[in-house]
Amino acid sequence: MMNLHSRPARHNGGFTLIEISLVIGLLLGLATFAGMNIAAVRNWQRGKDASVSLQAVFAAQRAYLSDHPTADIAGVSTDQLQLYLPQGWTTMPALVSLNDEALSVDHTVMPPLLMLGSSVYDPSSNGSDGLWDAGQ
């Protein structure tokens, strides 16, 4: 005898196309968000590394001038200044810009500056914020 209130059996074992699309969309959104944040952190870290390097060169300049009070910083060579770098620094720092371009340190001015070719390099909004510069 057939029961009038019974329903046919349904198979509920899989996911619908909408559910799969939502999960894929969510994963893509999270990956995009993480990728954007990783780039921002990398850029910030490069700026802080540059700042620390410039502060080390600035400390070397001050130490050199304390031993040679009549010297003009513009005439001090890289080799002379390297002897006064803080402990753990053996050579002048080599830095890269946000676009992976090689930067040089202009140690002939106080505080020292980062140079990209013949122009000063500081992509931060403030020239004395301690990010891409020696700070105040």
Side-chain angles (χ1 to χ4, degrees):
M1 173 173 185
M2 188 168 151
N3 187 352
L4 295 176
H5 299 290
S6 68
R7 295 185 180 168
R10 296 181 77 185
H11 186 278
N12 291 330
F15 296 105
T16 66
L17 185 58
I18 293 174
E19 291 171 330
I20 292 172
S21 297
L22 287 174
V23 170
I24 290 173
L26 179 65
L27 291 175
L28 288 173
L30 289 173
T32 302
F33 180 72
M36 291 171 32
N37 285 334
I38 288 172
V41 169
R42 180 190 57 97
N43 290 345
W44 176 83
Q45 185 61 48
R46 283 188 178 178
K48 288 309 291 178
D49 290 345
S51 174
V52 168
S53 298
L54 287 174
Q55 289 171 4
V57 174
F58 193 30
Q61 287 175 324
R62 291 189 310 258
Y64 181 86
L65 290 177
S66 70
D67 284 350
H68 306 91
T70 59
D72 181 14
I73 198 66
V76 177
S77 71
T78 302
D79 293 333
Q80 292 171 311
L81 200 57
Q82 283 179 354
L83 299 173
Y84 290 89
L85 286 170
Q87 185 176 4
W89 296 78
T90 56
T91 61
M92 293 297 270
L95 303 162
V96 292
S97 72
L98 295 178
N99 298 325
D100 294 325
E101 300 162 312
L103 300 173
S104 61
V105 177
D106 183 2
H107 67 281
T108 62
V109 295
M110 286 185 78
L113 299 170
L114 284 176
M115 304 298 289
L116 179 61
S118 61
S119 61
V120 175
Y121 184 81
D122 186 357
S124 65
S125 60
N126 186 345
S128 60
D129 59 356
L131 191 63
W132 295 101
D133 54 60
Q136 292 193 8

